[in-house]
Amino acid sequence: MFRNQYDTDVTTWSPAGRLFQVEYAMEAMKQGSAAIGLRSKTHVVLGCVNKANSELSSHQKKIFKVDDHIGLAIAGLTADGRVLSRYMRNECINYNFTYESPLPVGRLVVQLADKAQVCTQRSWKRPYGVGLLVAGLDESGAHLYYNCPSGNYFEYQAFAIGSRSQAAKTYLERRFENFTDSSRDDLVKDAITAIRETLQGETLKSSICTIAVVGVGEPFHILDQGTVQQIIDTFEIAAEQEGPAAEPDAATGRDTAAEQGTAADQGGSTDEGVAPMDI
């Protein structure tokens, strides 16, 4: 097996200017089950896919509550995600105790990015192999941030990370212009639809996905499976209603084609030299 001589230490640069251990951590994030997030002016919705290692085991928790106004979804190593969520929870508690006000989302994200960046320049530490979607609400409005294992962070209107997340990104890119003015229920529906895009043929059920919401007058909380299943059933009913509506049009098309064929046959009997109509 080929071994790269520049990937034995996180502080060793390759001639191309790359840190392979950091790239390996980002690859670990891409291998995790998908997590998505989208926001409007007043609400932020997080969703993730629950994958169990076997039929005999339960799935790993991938959405964590940090404070009443902040939550996060992870993709990658769930153990690293639990450590970082505990760190963020402690920072919120300390800030609230000191200043008697909620910690701004942007400041917490910067502290989290600094903590991840330290692991890219210390030889006795490894980078965190997890990506985080941080959702929060503060005085400046609703926010959705993506924290990378490299220490970078970005604010998004909508984003998806993890395995097969490109399908969800494609859906979100088509719809993101409508998210700003969307209602809470519409955001939840779009989140579930984006999750369905990542399943690629698997049946969408409430047992394999988790949805969390935070917004104005609504603290961060995870929706129960019954509520999520009702929304999924609504999708299926709407799809069934759209199917029969298209059938009469198809039947009308067949009747029209049959009439045209009859007319062509009659025309062919009178004009023998005319070629039949292409259908």
Side-chain angles (χ1 to χ4, degrees):
M1 180 179 178
F2 174 76
R3 181 165 183 83
N4 195 317
Q5 59 181 331
Y6 298 102
D7 67 352
T8 58
D9 194 344
V10 72
T11 59
T12 302
W13 294 92
S14 73
R18 301 165 62 182
L19 291 174
F20 288 104
Q21 288 292 327
V22 177
E23 295 183 9
Y24 296 161
M26 297 175 67
E27 186 64 28
M29 176 198 68
K30 295 178 182 178
Q31 296 296 328
S33 55
I36 64 101
L38 54 160
R39 69 177 174 93
S40 65
K41 292 180 180 179
T42 57
H43 289 81
V44 187
V45 176
L46 296 176
C48 69
V49 179
N50 302 326
K51 290 292 185 181
N53 293 329
S54 69
E55 297 179 356
L56 302 178
S57 66
S58 62
H59 63 270
Q60 291 282 346
K61 183 179 179 182
K62 298 195 61 183
I63 293 183
F64 300 92
K65 178 180 178 180
V66 176
D67 203 347
D68 287 339
H69 67 297
I70 298 177
L72 61 91
I74 65 173
L77 297 179
T78 54
D80 290 357
R82 288 198 304 270
V83 170
L84 293 177
S85 67
R86 190 182 306 117
Y87 164 78
M88 297 170 66
R89 196 174 297 118
N90 290 335
E91 291 298 315
C92 287
I93 293 173
N94 294 336
Y95 186 93
N96 197 2
F97 179 80
T98 304
Y99 300 101
E100 296 183 356
S101 63
L103 176 61
V105 183
R107 180 176 299 185
L108 178 61
V109 170
V110 171
Q111 294 176 356
L112 180 64
D114 291 341
K115 184 178 179 65
Q117 194 275 336
V118 169
C119 296
T120 67
Q121 58 180 7
R122 297 287 187 268
S123 60
W124 62 90
K125 292 183 178 181
R126 67 162 176 82
Y128 293 104
V130 63
L132 296 93
L133 292 177
V134 182
L137 184 73
D138 55 21
E139 295 178 352
S140 60
H143 301 279
L144 175 67
Y145 289 93
Y146 161 58
N147 276 76
C148 184
S150 63
N152 290 325
Y153 66 94
F154 308 91
E155 185 171 7
Y156 283 92
Q157 183 71 37
F159 199 59
I161 56 177
S163 63
R164 295 186 290 190
S165 61
Q166 185 58 48
K169 288 180 185 178
T170 303
Y171 173 80
L172 295 174
E173 288 171 356
R174 293 198 309 264
R175 298 272 301 169
F176 79 96
E177 294 180 353
N178 301 325
F179 291 161
T180 302
D181 299 322
S182 294
S183 63
R184 171 192 180 276
D185 294 337
D186 291 338
L187 282 181
V188 173
K189 292 178 182 179
D190 285 322
I192 294 177
T193 305
I195 291 175
R196 183 174 59 182
E197 294 293 326
T198 66
L199 298 180
Q200 295 184 351
E202 298 181 35
T203 303
L204 178 62
K205 298 181 293 184
S206 61
S207 59
I208 63 173
C209 67
T210 304
I211 304 294
V213 181
V214 61
V216 176
E218 185 175 9
F220 184 87
H221 67 285
I222 298 175
L223 301 181
D224 60 272
Q225 288 190 358
T227 303
V228 176
Q229 188 61 47
Q230 289 179 357
I231 299 174
I232 295 174
D233 293 339
T234 303
F235 284 160
E236 294 177 352
I237 293 174
E240 291 176 356
Q241 291 177 350
E242 291 177 358
E247 292 179 358
D249 296 338
T252 304
R254 288 193 298 268
D255 295 340
T256 304
E259 293 176 358
Q260 292 175 350
T262 303
D265 294 340
Q266 295 175 353
S269 61
T270 55
D271 300 332
E272 296 179 356
V274 178
M277 181 182 299
D278 292 333
I279 298 176

